[in-house]
Amino acid sequence: MNIRTQLDTIITQALANVGANEAPAVVKTSARPEFGDYQANGIMGAAKKLKMNPRELATKVVAELENNSEISLLVEKYEIAGPGFINIHLKNNWLADQVEQTLNSDNLAVKKSSTPETVVIDYSAPNLAKEMHVGHLRSTIIGDAISRVLEFLGHKVIRQNHVGDWGTQFGMLLTYMGELKKENAELEMQLSDLEKFYQAAKIRFDEDEAFATQARENVVKLQAGDAEFLKLWQQFIDTSLNHCDEIYQILNVKLKREDVAPESQYNDDLASVITDLDKAGLLSEDQGAQCVFLDEFKGKDDSIIPMIVQKSDGGYLYATTDLAALRYRHNQLGMTRGLYLVDARQSLHLKQVYVVGKKAGFLPETTSLEHMAFGTMMGKDGTPFKTRTGGTVKLIDLLNEAKLRAFDLVTSKNPDLDEASRREIANTVGIGAVKYADLSKNRTSDYIFNWDTMLSFEGNTAPYLQYAYARIQSIFRKAGEINSGAEIVLQEPAERLLATKLLQFSEAVDVVAKDGTPNFLCNYLFELSGNFMSFYEACPIMKADEATKQSRLKLAQLTANTLKTGLDLLGIDVMERM
RNA sequence: GCGCUGGUAGCUCAGAUGGAUAGAGUACCUGGCUACGAACCAGGGGGUCGGGGGUUCGAUUCCUCCCCAGCGCGCCA
């Protein structure tokens, strides 16, 4: 039940009925309470097209609406206001009825998509040569939330973790591994901190020419399928993936081993990508490299930006791999929609991949390919984020810090709880806060990393939503079961406000599915919690008379259900007490 | 040089197809715990929406020109 869409459809039809064709009603939730629950803004635009007085047109539309039995079930009254807005007031008893129905429905009365798609979603994609750092947070968390939302709406979601496991840097790492093995060093110990391991290998690479030469040769050996190197490589990859899995588990991210679709997987397809591009007439040689030149990527001075798919030494590039992946996702996975949760800096690259992939016939023009970009992480001074040592902040360090700070807070709030419970609560709160801090922003541009805002537990944060949930659970511990036969009555303004907000859950979910913007859902849940908190202050439950108490318990119950479901779609847990 | 993304309150950020008095959080100031949990609530101050033009009944939103920031533009991924 998406009220906004329903109103929009009916009012757009009403506009057509009075002669305004192809004029959208542009229904939105009202900007201010005195403007009703929803407002239609499209009348002025339609009137302009028809060269009519907008208020006159609005009058006609309202007359049309008043004759519509379907919409009359939910609308109390219409008001024509200002230059030609139609303000819509919903019926109290209809709202109450909808709350009751939503409470009794399976998934908060959210309708499954009528056109389910096979969505391939490419997210997280760490480089296995190094440990995951804070920059991987966005892709991992936003991708996971979008996946959950799409699944919730009945789409088939195929997660693809396009991990980097095949670049030239693995020659360096494997060579270093080989050295350590000969020295009988404790390899597992060394690999437990991948960041240090990488740096140590890098130093060898930079300082020792013989080592560097060996490293370059080993890449070739690896990619040619040398058994010894494959074994060594496999050991490294496994270790690194274990690190990732550990992070995913802490983050409550659904990515599993079977979702890993590494770059190496496409190794055998790369040659055929080149021949297929050639067959499609897209390939041309330039300075020894195989390139695709397209008019789409022409600069103002007519110079065309090439996409290089094969180096002059015969080696392939990530453009080649991405094209192979694109073809695989269409042919093998049946993708009808592709989402790429990738850094904004790769926007040109991905645009090229999409256009070339479609021109080459790797997938149909109709397949929607969407780059859901996000910006670079910056430090407080607005320059790219680095620690003092010059490296990036490890993700695991951020998560541990979150748990630590949350534990201190839980301990100060609830000193009597046993330590195990406090730990558990702290983990849920701490990780929730970190995830929410990132999910609640819609920044395609760069963003500032800040420990304190990332680890804040007050205001618009996950703990605020979790707190609302915990409060409701506390009420139910005291109130016992709801009388399911009780009637919901919306008497107080706070009750009505809460009920209306509760019924807008699917509006938020639909936007996230369409635009890939979990911050809409965050914002919705924050407002819902705010409405609940106000209701909680203004409308006592336990002290009210029995009928009112039951009615309010139902509102509280649906709030809890909505918070739990909504937070689960974001990959954030709730708890009974905190 | 060309291109992409952005510039909204002291700070961190929302503002979905142009709409009525631009919103949160935080920080600051006033109040509210003999409690359905103060990780909260009620209220206050604080903004030339980077700047100039333009389109429109109406522009934070669309067009255009500047300024600033980050990033991207042939053999890394």
Side-chain angles (χ1 to χ4, degrees), chain A residues 300-351:
Chain A
K300 265 190 182 162
D301 54 350
D302 276 5
S303 69
I304 299 177
I305 302 166
M307 181 169 85
I308 302 179
V309 289
Q310 188 171 23
K311 297 191 282 186
S312 48
D313 68 2
Y316 303 106
L317 295 113
Y318 77 138
T320 331
T321 310
D322 279 343
L323 283 168
L326 202 52
R327 192 171 58 174
Y328 168 81
R329 288 167 187 184
H330 174 257
N331 290 342
Q332 310 298 318
L333 302 180
M335 165 175 74
T336 61
R337 184 183 181 199
L339 307 181
Y340 287 71
L341 277 291
V342 176
D343 192 296
R345 282 175 289 188
Q346 298 198 28
S347 125
L348 174 62
H349 160 72
L350 284 175
K351 218 178 278 176

Short mmCIF file of all heavy atoms in Angstrom, two decimals, chain A residues 300-351:
data_model
loop_
_atom_site.label_atom_id
_atom_site.label_comp_id
_atom_site.label_asym_id
_atom_site.label_seq_id
_atom_site.Cartn_x
_atom_site.Cartn_y
_atom_site.Cartn_z
N LYS A 300 35.72 18.24 -26.65
CA LYS A 300 35.30 19.37 -27.48
C LYS A 300 36.23 19.59 -28.68
O LYS A 300 35.80 20.06 -29.73
CB LYS A 300 35.24 20.65 -26.63
CG LYS A 300 33.83 20.91 -26.12
CD LYS A 300 33.70 22.27 -25.48
CE LYS A 300 32.30 22.47 -24.93
NZ LYS A 300 32.23 23.56 -23.97
N ASP A 301 37.49 19.24 -28.48
CA ASP A 301 38.43 19.42 -29.58
C ASP A 301 38.45 18.21 -30.52
O ASP A 301 39.39 18.02 -31.27
CB ASP A 301 39.84 19.69 -29.03
CG ASP A 301 40.27 18.59 -28.06
OD1 ASP A 301 39.41 17.77 -27.68
OD2 ASP A 301 41.44 18.56 -27.69
N ASP A 302 37.38 17.39 -30.43
CA ASP A 302 37.22 16.23 -31.31
C ASP A 302 38.17 15.07 -31.02
O ASP A 302 38.16 14.09 -31.74
CB ASP A 302 37.35 16.62 -32.78
CG ASP A 302 36.02 17.13 -33.31
OD1 ASP A 302 35.07 17.26 -32.50
OD2 ASP A 302 35.93 17.40 -34.51
N SER A 303 38.99 15.21 -29.99
CA SER A 303 39.84 14.07 -29.66
C SER A 303 39.00 13.06 -28.88
O SER A 303 38.26 13.44 -27.97
CB SER A 303 41.03 14.51 -28.82
OG SER A 303 40.59 14.91 -27.54
N ILE A 304 39.10 11.80 -29.26
CA ILE A 304 38.27 10.78 -28.63
C ILE A 304 39.06 10.10 -27.52
O ILE A 304 40.22 9.75 -27.69
CB ILE A 304 37.81 9.73 -29.67
CG1 ILE A 304 36.97 10.43 -30.74
CG2 ILE A 304 37.01 8.64 -28.99
CD1 ILE A 304 36.53 9.52 -31.84
N ILE A 305 38.39 9.96 -26.37
CA ILE A 305 39.02 9.25 -25.26
C ILE A 305 38.92 7.75 -25.54
O ILE A 305 37.81 7.23 -25.69
CB ILE A 305 38.30 9.58 -23.94
CG1 ILE A 305 38.33 11.09 -23.70
CG2 ILE A 305 38.94 8.84 -22.79
CD1 ILE A 305 37.38 11.53 -22.62
N PRO A 306 40.03 7.09 -25.63
CA PRO A 306 39.95 5.66 -25.94
C PRO A 306 39.71 4.82 -24.69
O PRO A 306 40.00 5.26 -23.58
CB PRO A 306 41.34 5.37 -26.51
CG PRO A 306 42.23 6.32 -25.79
CD PRO A 306 41.41 7.54 -25.46
N MET A 307 39.17 3.63 -24.91
CA MET A 307 39.15 2.65 -23.83
C MET A 307 40.12 1.55 -24.26
O MET A 307 39.88 0.85 -25.26
CB MET A 307 37.75 2.08 -23.63
CG MET A 307 37.72 1.06 -22.51
SD MET A 307 36.06 0.59 -22.00
CE MET A 307 35.71 -0.68 -23.17
N ILE A 308 41.20 1.42 -23.53
CA ILE A 308 42.21 0.42 -23.88
C ILE A 308 41.79 -0.92 -23.30
O ILE A 308 41.50 -1.02 -22.11
CB ILE A 308 43.59 0.82 -23.34
CG1 ILE A 308 43.99 2.18 -23.90
CG2 ILE A 308 44.62 -0.23 -23.69
CD1 ILE A 308 45.33 2.67 -23.39
N VAL A 309 41.72 -1.92 -24.14
CA VAL A 309 41.30 -3.24 -23.66
C VAL A 309 42.44 -4.25 -23.70
O VAL A 309 42.34 -5.33 -23.11
CB VAL A 309 40.11 -3.78 -24.47
CG1 VAL A 309 38.85 -2.98 -24.12
CG2 VAL A 309 40.38 -3.75 -25.96
N GLN A 310 43.52 -3.91 -24.43
CA GLN A 310 44.68 -4.79 -24.40
C GLN A 310 45.94 -3.96 -24.57
O GLN A 310 46.06 -3.16 -25.49
CB GLN A 310 44.58 -5.85 -25.52
CG GLN A 310 45.66 -6.90 -25.41
CD GLN A 310 45.45 -8.08 -26.36
OE1 GLN A 310 44.77 -7.95 -27.36
NE2 GLN A 310 46.04 -9.22 -26.02
N LYS A 311 46.87 -4.16 -23.64
CA LYS A 311 48.10 -3.38 -23.66
C LYS A 311 48.98 -3.82 -24.83
O LYS A 311 48.78 -4.87 -25.42
CB LYS A 311 48.87 -3.60 -22.34
CG LYS A 311 48.13 -3.11 -21.13
CD LYS A 311 49.03 -3.11 -19.90
CE LYS A 311 49.20 -4.51 -19.32
NZ LYS A 311 49.95 -4.50 -18.06
N SER A 312 49.96 -2.99 -25.13
CA SER A 312 50.86 -3.31 -26.25
C SER A 312 51.67 -4.57 -25.96
O SER A 312 52.12 -5.23 -26.89
CB SER A 312 51.79 -2.12 -26.53
OG SER A 312 52.36 -1.66 -25.32
N ASP A 313 51.84 -4.92 -24.69
CA ASP A 313 52.56 -6.16 -24.39
C ASP A 313 51.63 -7.37 -24.36
O ASP A 313 52.03 -8.47 -24.00
CB ASP A 313 53.30 -6.03 -23.05
CG ASP A 313 52.36 -5.95 -21.86
OD1 ASP A 313 51.12 -6.03 -22.05
OD2 ASP A 313 52.84 -5.80 -20.72
N GLY A 314 50.36 -7.16 -24.73
CA GLY A 314 49.43 -8.28 -24.81
C GLY A 314 48.61 -8.46 -23.55
O GLY A 314 47.63 -9.22 -23.53
N GLY A 315 48.96 -7.77 -22.47
CA GLY A 315 48.23 -7.91 -21.21
C GLY A 315 46.86 -7.25 -21.28
O GLY A 315 46.63 -6.35 -22.07
N TYR A 316 45.95 -7.73 -20.42
CA TYR A 316 44.60 -7.17 -20.39
C TYR A 316 44.45 -6.20 -19.23
O TYR A 316 45.26 -6.19 -18.31
CB TYR A 316 43.57 -8.29 -20.27
CG TYR A 316 43.68 -9.30 -21.38
CD1 TYR A 316 44.21 -10.57 -21.14
CD2 TYR A 316 43.28 -8.98 -22.67
CE1 TYR A 316 44.33 -11.49 -22.16
CE2 TYR A 316 43.39 -9.90 -23.70
CZ TYR A 316 43.92 -11.16 -23.44
OH TYR A 316 44.04 -12.06 -24.45
N LEU A 317 43.39 -5.41 -19.28
CA LEU A 317 43.16 -4.41 -18.24
C LEU A 317 41.81 -4.61 -17.57
O LEU A 317 41.04 -5.46 -17.98
CB LEU A 317 43.25 -3.01 -18.85
CG LEU A 317 44.65 -2.69 -19.36
CD1 LEU A 317 44.64 -2.57 -20.85
CD2 LEU A 317 45.17 -1.45 -18.69
N TYR A 318 41.54 -3.78 -16.59
CA TYR A 318 40.29 -3.99 -15.85
C TYR A 318 39.07 -3.70 -16.71
O TYR A 318 37.99 -4.22 -16.45
CB TYR A 318 40.28 -3.22 -14.53
CG TYR A 318 40.02 -1.74 -14.58
CD1 TYR A 318 39.19 -1.14 -13.63
CD2 TYR A 318 40.59 -0.93 -15.54
CE1 TYR A 318 38.95 0.21 -13.64
CE2 TYR A 318 40.36 0.44 -15.55
CZ TYR A 318 39.54 1.00 -14.61
OH TYR A 318 39.31 2.35 -14.62
N ALA A 319 39.25 -2.89 -17.77
CA ALA A 319 38.14 -2.69 -18.70
C ALA A 319 37.75 -4.01 -19.36
O ALA A 319 36.57 -4.32 -19.55
CB ALA A 319 38.52 -1.66 -19.75
N THR A 320 38.77 -4.79 -19.70
CA THR A 320 38.53 -6.08 -20.33
C THR A 320 37.79 -7.01 -19.37
O THR A 320 36.82 -7.68 -19.75
CB THR A 320 39.88 -6.73 -20.73
OG1 THR A 320 40.83 -5.72 -20.99
CG2 THR A 320 39.70 -7.62 -21.94
N THR A 321 38.25 -7.03 -18.15
CA THR A 321 37.62 -7.88 -17.14
C THR A 321 36.17 -7.46 -16.90
O THR A 321 35.28 -8.31 -16.81
CB THR A 321 38.39 -7.79 -15.80
OG1 THR A 321 39.78 -8.00 -16.07
CG2 THR A 321 37.89 -8.82 -14.83
N ASP A 322 35.94 -6.16 -16.82
CA ASP A 322 34.58 -5.68 -16.58
C ASP A 322 33.65 -6.02 -17.74
O ASP A 322 32.47 -6.29 -17.53
CB ASP A 322 34.59 -4.17 -16.32
CG ASP A 322 34.97 -3.84 -14.88
OD1 ASP A 322 34.92 -4.76 -14.04
OD2 ASP A 322 35.32 -2.69 -14.59
N LEU A 323 34.19 -5.99 -18.95
CA LEU A 323 33.38 -6.39 -20.10
C LEU A 323 33.06 -7.88 -20.04
O LEU A 323 31.92 -8.29 -20.31
CB LEU A 323 34.11 -6.06 -21.41
CG LEU A 323 34.10 -4.59 -21.81
CD1 LEU A 323 35.09 -4.32 -22.95
CD2 LEU A 323 32.69 -4.17 -22.23
N ALA A 324 34.04 -8.67 -19.66
CA ALA A 324 33.81 -10.11 -19.53
C ALA A 324 32.75 -10.37 -18.46
O ALA A 324 31.87 -11.22 -18.62
CB ALA A 324 35.11 -10.81 -19.17
N ALA A 325 32.83 -9.63 -17.37
CA ALA A 325 31.87 -9.78 -16.27
C ALA A 325 30.47 -9.40 -16.74
O ALA A 325 29.48 -10.06 -16.42
CB ALA A 325 32.29 -8.93 -15.08
N LEU A 326 30.41 -8.34 -17.52
CA LEU A 326 29.12 -7.87 -18.04
C LEU A 326 28.47 -8.96 -18.90
O LEU A 326 27.28 -9.26 -18.76
CB LEU A 326 29.36 -6.61 -18.88
CG LEU A 326 28.22 -5.65 -19.12
CD1 LEU A 326 27.57 -5.24 -17.82
CD2 LEU A 326 28.73 -4.42 -19.85
N ARG A 327 29.26 -9.55 -19.77
CA ARG A 327 28.76 -10.61 -20.65
C ARG A 327 28.31 -11.82 -19.84
O ARG A 327 27.26 -12.39 -20.08
CB ARG A 327 29.89 -11.01 -21.62
CG ARG A 327 29.43 -11.86 -22.77
CD ARG A 327 30.53 -12.05 -23.80
NE ARG A 327 31.72 -12.66 -23.21
CZ ARG A 327 32.79 -13.03 -23.93
NH1 ARG A 327 32.80 -12.82 -25.24
NH2 ARG A 327 33.81 -13.57 -23.35
N TYR A 328 29.12 -12.18 -18.85
CA TYR A 328 28.80 -13.31 -17.97
C TYR A 328 27.50 -13.06 -17.22
O TYR A 328 26.64 -13.94 -17.09
CB TYR A 328 29.96 -13.49 -16.98
CG TYR A 328 29.67 -14.42 -15.82
CD1 TYR A 328 29.76 -15.80 -15.96
CD2 TYR A 328 29.33 -13.91 -14.56
CE1 TYR A 328 29.52 -16.65 -14.89
CE2 TYR A 328 29.08 -14.75 -13.49
CZ TYR A 328 29.17 -16.11 -13.65
OH TYR A 328 28.92 -16.94 -12.59
N ARG A 329 27.34 -11.83 -16.73
CA ARG A 329 26.15 -11.51 -15.94
C ARG A 329 24.89 -11.57 -16.79
O ARG A 329 23.82 -11.94 -16.29
CB ARG A 329 26.31 -10.13 -15.29
CG ARG A 329 27.32 -10.16 -14.17
CD ARG A 329 27.76 -8.81 -13.69
NE ARG A 329 28.87 -8.98 -12.73
CZ ARG A 329 29.44 -8.01 -12.07
NH1 ARG A 329 29.04 -6.75 -12.24
NH2 ARG A 329 30.42 -8.26 -11.23
N HIS A 330 25.01 -11.24 -18.04
CA HIS A 330 23.84 -11.36 -18.91
C HIS A 330 23.62 -12.81 -19.32
O HIS A 330 22.54 -13.36 -19.15
CB HIS A 330 23.98 -10.49 -20.16
CG HIS A 330 22.87 -10.72 -21.14
ND1 HIS A 330 23.02 -11.47 -22.28
CD2 HIS A 330 21.58 -10.34 -21.10
CE1 HIS A 330 21.86 -11.51 -22.91
NE2 HIS A 330 20.98 -10.85 -22.23
N ASN A 331 24.65 -13.45 -19.85
CA ASN A 331 24.50 -14.81 -20.38
C ASN A 331 24.25 -15.86 -19.30
O ASN A 331 23.37 -16.71 -19.46
CB ASN A 331 25.76 -15.22 -21.17
CG ASN A 331 25.88 -14.44 -22.47
OD1 ASN A 331 24.90 -13.86 -22.95
ND2 ASN A 331 27.08 -14.42 -23.02
N GLN A 332 25.04 -15.81 -18.25
CA GLN A 332 24.96 -16.88 -17.24
C GLN A 332 24.00 -16.55 -16.10
O GLN A 332 23.38 -17.45 -15.55
CB GLN A 332 26.35 -17.16 -16.64
CG GLN A 332 27.45 -17.38 -17.66
CD GLN A 332 27.20 -18.59 -18.53
OE1 GLN A 332 26.77 -19.62 -18.05
NE2 GLN A 332 27.43 -18.44 -19.84
N LEU A 333 23.92 -15.30 -15.74
CA LEU A 333 23.11 -14.96 -14.57
C LEU A 333 21.72 -14.44 -14.93
O LEU A 333 20.86 -14.32 -14.08
CB LEU A 333 23.85 -13.91 -13.70
CG LEU A 333 25.24 -14.31 -13.19
CD1 LEU A 333 25.85 -13.19 -12.35
CD2 LEU A 333 25.19 -15.60 -12.38
N GLY A 334 21.52 -14.11 -16.20
CA GLY A 334 20.20 -13.64 -16.62
C GLY A 334 19.84 -12.26 -16.11
O GLY A 334 18.68 -11.93 -15.88
N MET A 335 20.86 -11.42 -15.95
CA MET A 335 20.66 -10.07 -15.42
C MET A 335 19.72 -9.22 -16.28
O MET A 335 19.87 -9.15 -17.49
CB MET A 335 22.03 -9.38 -15.33
CG MET A 335 21.99 -7.88 -15.14
SD MET A 335 23.63 -7.20 -14.89
CE MET A 335 24.31 -7.28 -16.55
N THR A 336 18.73 -8.59 -15.63
CA THR A 336 17.90 -7.61 -16.35
C THR A 336 18.17 -6.20 -15.84
O THR A 336 17.77 -5.21 -16.43
CB THR A 336 16.40 -7.91 -16.18
OG1 THR A 336 16.05 -7.84 -14.80
CG2 THR A 336 16.06 -9.29 -16.72
N ARG A 337 18.82 -6.12 -14.67
CA ARG A 337 19.21 -4.82 -14.14
C ARG A 337 20.54 -5.01 -13.42
O ARG A 337 20.70 -5.98 -12.67
CB ARG A 337 18.13 -4.33 -13.16
CG ARG A 337 18.36 -2.93 -12.61
CD ARG A 337 17.28 -2.54 -11.59
NE ARG A 337 17.51 -1.18 -11.09
CZ ARG A 337 17.00 -0.68 -9.97
NH1 ARG A 337 16.19 -1.43 -9.22
NH2 ARG A 337 17.26 0.55 -9.59
N GLY A 338 21.46 -4.10 -13.66
CA GLY A 338 22.77 -4.22 -13.04
C GLY A 338 23.12 -2.99 -12.23
O GLY A 338 23.04 -1.88 -12.72
N LEU A 339 23.47 -3.20 -10.97
CA LEU A 339 23.83 -2.08 -10.10
C LEU A 339 25.30 -2.19 -9.71
O LEU A 339 25.75 -3.25 -9.27
CB LEU A 339 22.96 -2.09 -8.84
CG LEU A 339 21.45 -2.15 -9.05
CD1 LEU A 339 20.73 -2.12 -7.70
CD2 LEU A 339 20.98 -1.00 -9.92
N TYR A 340 26.01 -1.09 -9.86
CA TYR A 340 27.44 -1.08 -9.52
C TYR A 340 27.68 -0.10 -8.38
O TYR A 340 27.54 1.10 -8.56
CB TYR A 340 28.27 -0.65 -10.74
CG TYR A 340 28.37 -1.71 -11.82
CD1 TYR A 340 27.26 -2.03 -12.60
CD2 TYR A 340 29.56 -2.37 -12.06
CE1 TYR A 340 27.34 -3.01 -13.58
CE2 TYR A 340 29.66 -3.34 -13.05
CZ TYR A 340 28.56 -3.65 -13.80
OH TYR A 340 28.65 -4.62 -14.78
N LEU A 341 28.01 -0.64 -7.22
CA LEU A 341 28.31 0.21 -6.07
C LEU A 341 29.81 0.46 -6.06
O LEU A 341 30.58 -0.25 -5.41
CB LEU A 341 27.88 -0.49 -4.78
CG LEU A 341 26.42 -0.37 -4.36
CD1 LEU A 341 26.10 1.05 -3.92
CD2 LEU A 341 25.46 -0.82 -5.43
N VAL A 342 30.20 1.46 -6.83
CA VAL A 342 31.61 1.68 -7.08
C VAL A 342 31.93 3.17 -6.91
O VAL A 342 31.12 4.03 -7.21
CB VAL A 342 31.97 1.22 -8.52
CG1 VAL A 342 33.41 1.52 -8.85
CG2 VAL A 342 31.69 -0.27 -8.69
N ASP A 343 33.12 3.44 -6.45
CA ASP A 343 33.64 4.79 -6.26
C ASP A 343 33.36 5.70 -7.47
O ASP A 343 33.49 5.28 -8.61
CB ASP A 343 35.16 4.69 -6.03
CG ASP A 343 35.75 5.99 -5.54
OD1 ASP A 343 35.71 6.97 -6.30
OD2 ASP A 343 36.23 6.01 -4.40
N ALA A 344 33.00 6.94 -7.18
CA ALA A 344 32.63 7.89 -8.24
C ALA A 344 33.77 8.13 -9.23
O ALA A 344 33.53 8.52 -10.37
CB ALA A 344 32.19 9.21 -7.61
N ARG A 345 34.99 7.90 -8.80
CA ARG A 345 36.12 8.16 -9.68
C ARG A 345 36.12 7.25 -10.89
O ARG A 345 36.78 7.50 -11.88
CB ARG A 345 37.43 8.00 -8.90
CG ARG A 345 37.73 9.20 -8.03
CD ARG A 345 38.93 8.97 -7.18
NE ARG A 345 38.68 7.99 -6.12
CZ ARG A 345 39.53 7.73 -5.14
NH1 ARG A 345 40.69 8.36 -5.09
NH2 ARG A 345 39.24 6.84 -4.21
N GLN A 346 35.35 6.15 -10.79
CA GLN A 346 35.33 5.22 -11.91
C GLN A 346 34.16 5.48 -12.84
O GLN A 346 33.82 4.64 -13.67
CB GLN A 346 35.29 3.79 -11.38
CG GLN A 346 36.53 3.47 -10.58
CD GLN A 346 36.74 1.99 -10.42
OE1 GLN A 346 36.32 1.22 -11.26
NE2 GLN A 346 37.38 1.60 -9.34
N SER A 347 33.56 6.62 -12.71
CA SER A 347 32.35 6.89 -13.47
C SER A 347 32.57 6.86 -14.99
O SER A 347 31.78 6.28 -15.72
CB SER A 347 31.76 8.21 -12.97
OG SER A 347 31.57 9.09 -14.02
N LEU A 348 33.64 7.47 -15.45
CA LEU A 348 33.92 7.44 -16.89
C LEU A 348 34.20 6.01 -17.35
O LEU A 348 33.67 5.57 -18.38
CB LEU A 348 35.12 8.34 -17.21
CG LEU A 348 35.61 8.29 -18.66
CD1 LEU A 348 34.53 8.77 -19.63
CD2 LEU A 348 36.87 9.11 -18.85
N HIS A 349 35.00 5.32 -16.59
CA HIS A 349 35.33 3.93 -16.92
C HIS A 349 34.06 3.08 -17.07
O HIS A 349 33.90 2.36 -18.06
CB HIS A 349 36.24 3.35 -15.84
CG HIS A 349 36.26 1.86 -15.80
ND1 HIS A 349 36.89 1.10 -16.77
CD2 HIS A 349 35.71 0.97 -14.94
CE1 HIS A 349 36.73 -0.19 -16.49
NE2 HIS A 349 36.01 -0.29 -15.39
N LEU A 350 33.17 3.18 -16.10
CA LEU A 350 31.96 2.35 -16.14
C LEU A 350 31.04 2.76 -17.29
O LEU A 350 30.42 1.92 -17.93
CB LEU A 350 31.21 2.43 -14.80
CG LEU A 350 31.87 1.61 -13.68
CD1 LEU A 350 31.16 1.83 -12.36
CD2 LEU A 350 31.88 0.13 -14.01
N LYS A 351 30.97 4.05 -17.54
CA LYS A 351 30.17 4.53 -18.66
C LYS A 351 30.67 3.89 -19.96
O LYS A 351 29.89 3.44 -20.79
CB LYS A 351 30.25 6.06 -18.73
CG LYS A 351 28.94 6.72 -19.12
CD LYS A 351 29.06 8.24 -19.14
CE LYS A 351 28.93 8.85 -17.76
NZ LYS A 351 29.13 10.32 -17.74
#
